[in-house]
Amino acid sequence: MNTGIISSRYAKALFEYTELTGGTEAVAAQVPVLVQALSKVPELQRALEDPVAVSTGEKISLFAAALGGAGLRPELERFLRLVIKGGREGELRLIFQDYLTRYYRSRGIRMCRLITAVESEDLKERLVALMSRVTGDNIVVETLVRPDLIGGFIFEIDDYMVDASVSRQIETIRHQFIEKNRRVV
């Protein structure tokens, strides 16, 4: 079965359930922490996908521990039990990401990523102002610094990416040079 369909259906169910119970804001605050834990701790993902060695209760405890003692929201705990019972633990990262997308869309928020060679608060502010004006949504920008870009920036919003980095321009020139010399020979 298509994992996109699975994650979408589960995320939709979680979102509608939290909207119904009024716990959407609290669950949306906990979900990014769980996504980060799933991404950064491969042992957690392996433990979740092991149907024999780790019980459902232990899996729930792992998620609670990932929150640092804050405790899972009842809606989230009930949802996790449902996902684990259905054997869909491997899809949790996609489910949570789809949930966050639904949450942000419902609140008129657009998540963006700005990657620069050096930190640039001025560029961030100008891009936020421009994107707010164009989309009419609130813009939240995640910034990353990657010195390997040499200069310029990469800006991602939804499924679009603008790569205005110096390293990309150098790579483009290099490919053009190779193509041009290939025709000459």
Side-chain angles (χ1 to χ4, degrees), residues 64-71:
L67 291 172

Side-chain angles (χ1 to χ4, degrees), residues 157-177:
I157 182 168
D158 297 332
D159 292 335
Y160 300 102
M161 180 177 80
V162 175
D163 189 343
S165 64
V166 172
S167 62
R168 176 65 178 164
Q169 293 171 9
I170 290 171
E171 188 66 23
T172 301
I173 292 168
R174 187 178 79 76
H175 282 294
Q176 289 172 350
F177 183 74

Side-chain angles (χ1 to χ4, degrees), residues 47-63 80-81 84-85 89:
L48 290 174
E49 292 175 356
D50 189 345
V52 179
V54 184
S55 71
T56 300
E58 291 171 325
K59 291 177 182 181
I60 298 297
S61 296
L62 288 173
F63 279 113
L80 287 170
R81 289 188 186 283
I84 292 168
K85 182 180 176 185
E89 301 98 318

Side-chain angles (χ1 to χ4, degrees), residues 132-150:
S132 292
R133 203 170 47 248
V134 169
T135 64
D137 291 335
N138 294 325
I139 305 296
V140 176
V141 179
E142 172 192 357
T143 58
L144 298 170
V145 175
R146 280 189 24 209
D148 63 307
L149 294 181
I150 303 170

